[in-house]
C-alpha cells in the first residue's frame, strides 16, 4: 500500500469515520473511498452503499470483470446513555453482550457509581462537561436519554442530532416529548427533531426497566441494521 493511502486510511480510523479500501487483486491498484466523499457517481456506488450498510468486506467483480476486494473499515457502534437509572443498569450488560461499547453519563452522584455499573465507563458529570472533551459523538453512536430531566437530557439530545448520531431516543410520554420538542425547536430543524425516538424503544409492551432496556436495544439494532441512516458498523463480537 502506498504511504499516502495508508495515512489517509489511518486518519479515517482515528476519526471514527467509515471508509472502504478497494484493491484490484490482479493489478494491485488501490483507491480509498471515504464515507464522507461524494461517491454517488462512483461506478461501484450500489456496492459501496451495501458494504457501508453491512460493514462487511468481500470480493466482487465489476462491470469489466475485474476482481476487486473491498476492505470495509467502519468503527464499532457504541451507545452513550444519559442517566444512571435502572433502565441503564439493565441496558449496559445487554448492549455489551450484543457487542456494543457503552458509556454512562449522569451528574447525580448518588446514581452514577461504579457499584451500580461495574465495568462500564462512567462519568458522574454534567453532559456538557463530558461531550466534546471526554466523549465525541458521531454517526456510529446511539444516544439514549433516560433521566426524565430536561436540564440533563436536552443538551446531549441536541448534540446527538447535530452530530448525526445513528440513533437518538428519549424516555418520556408523548405529552412529555411534545414539551421537549418545543424546547428543542430553538436551533434544530423539524426534520432533526423528528429523528428522536419518543417514547423510546420498540413497542413490545415493555413494563419493567429490564423490559424497557430490551425494547431500547432492539430499536437501536433496528436503526443500525435496517434504516440505512448510518452506515452500519459491525459490533465487535459480530466482527470477530
Amino acid at each position: 500500500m502506498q504511504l499516502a493511502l495508508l495515512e489517509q486510511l489511518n486518519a479515517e480510523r482515528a476519526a471514527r469515520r467509515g471508509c472502504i479500501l478497494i484493491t484490484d487483486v490482479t493489478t494491485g491498484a488501490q483507491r480509498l473511498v471515504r464515507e464522507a466523499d461524494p461517491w454517488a457517481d462512483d461506478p461501484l456506488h450500489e456496492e459501496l452503499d451495501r458494504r457501508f450498510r453491512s460493514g462487511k468486506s468481500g470480493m466482487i467483480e465489476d462491470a469489466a470483470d475485474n476482481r476487486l476486494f473491498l476492505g470495509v473499515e467502519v468503527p464499532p457502534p457504541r451507545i452513550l446513555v444519559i442517566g444512571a437509572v435502572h433502565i441503564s443498569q439493565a441496558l449496559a450488560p445487554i448492549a455489551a453482550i450484543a457487542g456494543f461499547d457503552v458509556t454512562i453519563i449522569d451528574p447525580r452522584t448518588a446514581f452514577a457509581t461504579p457499584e451500580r455499573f461495574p465495568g462500564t465507563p462512567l462519568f458522574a458529570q454534567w453532559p456538557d462537561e463530558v461531550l466534546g472533551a471526554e466523549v465525541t459523538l458521531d454517526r456510529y453512536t446511539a444516544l439514549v436519554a433516560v433521566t426524565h430531566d430536561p436540564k440533563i437530557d436536552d443538551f446531549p439530545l441536541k448534540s446527538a442530532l447535530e452530530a448525526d448520531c445513528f440513533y437518538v431516543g428519549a424516555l418520556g410520554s408523548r405529552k412529555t416529548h411534545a414539551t421537549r420538542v418545543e424546547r428543542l425547536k430553538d436551533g434544530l430543524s423539524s426534520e432533526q427533531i423528528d429523528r428522536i425516538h419518543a417514547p423510546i424503544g420498540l413497542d413490545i409492551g415493555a413494563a419493567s426497566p429490564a423490559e424497557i432496556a430490551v425494547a431500547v436495544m432492539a430499536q437501536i439494532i433496528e436503526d443500525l441494521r435496517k434504516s440505512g441512516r448510518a452506515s452500519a458498523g459491525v459490533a465487535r463480537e459480530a466482527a470477530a
Side-chain angles (χ1 to χ4, degrees):
M1 182 186 299
Q2 294 179 356
L3 179 59
L5 203 57
L6 178 61
E7 290 176 344
Q8 291 178 38
L9 181 60
N10 287 337
E12 297 307 299
R13 287 171 174 164
R16 281 182 54 87
R17 294 190 294 257
C19 61
I20 297 177
L21 180 65
I22 302 174
T23 303
D24 186 318
V25 298
T26 302
T27 67
Q30 292 182 311
R31 64 185 177 98
L32 188 70
V33 178
R34 299 179 300 180
E35 190 180 11
D37 289 340
W39 43 267
D41 294 330
D42 191 292
L44 299 177
H45 70 277
E46 291 185 0
E47 187 65 29
L48 292 171
D49 182 62
R50 191 172 71 83
R51 296 285 173 174
F52 272 129
R53 289 173 187 272
S54 69
K56 294 181 179 178
S57 302
M59 191 77 73
I60 65 167
E61 289 187 2
D62 65 11
D65 295 331
N66 297 310
R67 298 182 71 235
L68 307 173
F69 182 78
L70 274 56
V72 181
E73 296 276 351
V74 291
R78 62 186 178 188
I79 302 173
L80 179 62
V81 183
I82 308 300
V85 298
H86 289 116
I87 295 172
S88 315
Q89 286 183 285
L91 180 59
I94 293 172
I97 290 171
F100 289 75
D101 292 325
V102 180
T103 299
I104 309 286
I105 299 176
D106 195 327
R108 300 170 299 183
T109 53
F111 296 149
T113 66
E115 292 75 18
R116 285 166 53 85
F117 295 92
T120 301
L122 182 68
F123 294 91
Q125 298 171 252
W126 287 90
D128 61 349
E129 298 173 339
V130 178
L131 297 180
E134 303 285 348
V135 177
T136 302
L137 298 171
D138 57 41
R139 288 171 54 82
Y140 297 90
T141 301
L143 184 120
V144 175
V146 288
T147 74
H148 248 318
D149 185 339
K151 296 192 301 297
I152 302 174
D153 286 347
D154 280 7
F155 177 81
L157 284 172
K158 185 173 184 292
S159 300
L161 294 171
E162 291 174 339
D164 204 19
C165 290
F166 78 87
Y167 176 91
V168 182
L171 188 67
S173 66
R174 298 188 188 282
K175 181 179 179 181
T176 298
H177 185 60
T179 306
R180 177 188 294 127
V181 168
E182 290 301 313
R183 294 195 304 271
L184 294 178
K185 280 182 177 177
D186 183 16
L188 293 175
S189 67
S190 296
E191 184 180 12
Q192 287 176 303
I193 294 173
D194 287 346
R195 290 195 52 231
I196 301 174
H197 291 285
I200 196 170
L202 291 184
D203 184 7
I204 59 173
S208 69
E211 291 175 352
I212 294 171
V214 170
V216 171
M217 192 68 243
Q219 194 170 50
I220 289 173
I221 293 173
E222 181 181 54
D223 267 22
L224 184 66
R225 302 300 180 202
K226 295 178 64 177
S227 73
R229 269 217 77 257
S231 300
V234 179
R236 286 173 290 117
E237 186 172 337

